[in-house]
Amino acid sequence: MKIFGLIILAFFNMNSCSSEKINQEAKQYIEKVTYQNWVGGVKGAGGGTILNIILLKSLPSNMELVKIHFQEREASITKLNDLSYQSSIRRFENMDETVHMPTIKTGLKDNQAKIFFKIDGKENFLIIDDVKEIPMIMYPSAKPRNN
């Protein structure tokens, strides 16, 4: 029975080490992650957060960024070019009244993001600890015309 327990423990330890190696491999590609809150200046525009993921080098062909968890919300990740990815999180709508968008429990701190990625089709995640805030955008940014 002790041998069986040791085999199970060794198996879980190997999986943990393997997962940690994959996460370290993925982390080497990420230069920085920033976020910028925005609000629309007119009724119906709403508000949200734009996340930018800047890479140090292009991802290999067997690796893709899938989604991100940030400040109790989830969004897909879109490739802009080989070194830039972006995600947009809608925080609230204000068509007739302000309606906050649903949240999820992530257990992350406000400046942490969890990036989900796939390597050879297998999903993993990486936690980024220091997501930098960029000053808020308040639309419309142009001054209104007086007619």
Side-chain angles (χ1 to χ4, degrees), residues 61-101:
S61 60
N62 67 334
M63 184 176 185
E64 66 175 309
L65 301 182
V66 180
K67 64 183 176 182
I68 191 166
H69 286 178
F70 183 69
Q71 296 181 347
E72 308 298 325
R73 290 184 169 77
E74 177 181 282
S76 60
I77 297 174
T78 304
K79 182 177 180 177
L80 301 177
N81 60 49
D82 284 346
L83 300 177
S84 298
Y85 290 76
Q86 192 173 74
S87 184
S88 183
I89 297 173
R90 192 84 164 173
R91 292 198 172 272
F92 65 90
E93 302 276 350
N94 63 346
M95 291 303 263
D96 295 321
E97 61 184 62
T98 300
V99 178
H100 291 276
M101 303 307 281

Side-chain angles (χ1 to χ4, degrees), residues 60 62-66 116-124:
N62 67 334
M63 184 176 185
E64 66 175 309
L65 301 182
V66 180
F116 292 83
F117 61 94
K118 288 184 180 180
I119 295 180
D120 294 326
K122 184 178 178 192
E123 190 168 278
N124 294 283

Side-chain angles (χ1 to χ4, degrees), residues 4 10 15 17 27 56 59 61 74 76 85 108-109 138:
F4 180 71
N15 278 348
C17 291
K27 201 171 213 169
L56 292 166
L59 295 177
S61 60
E74 177 181 282
S76 60
Y85 290 76
L108 299 171
K109 296 176 185 172
M138 291 188 253

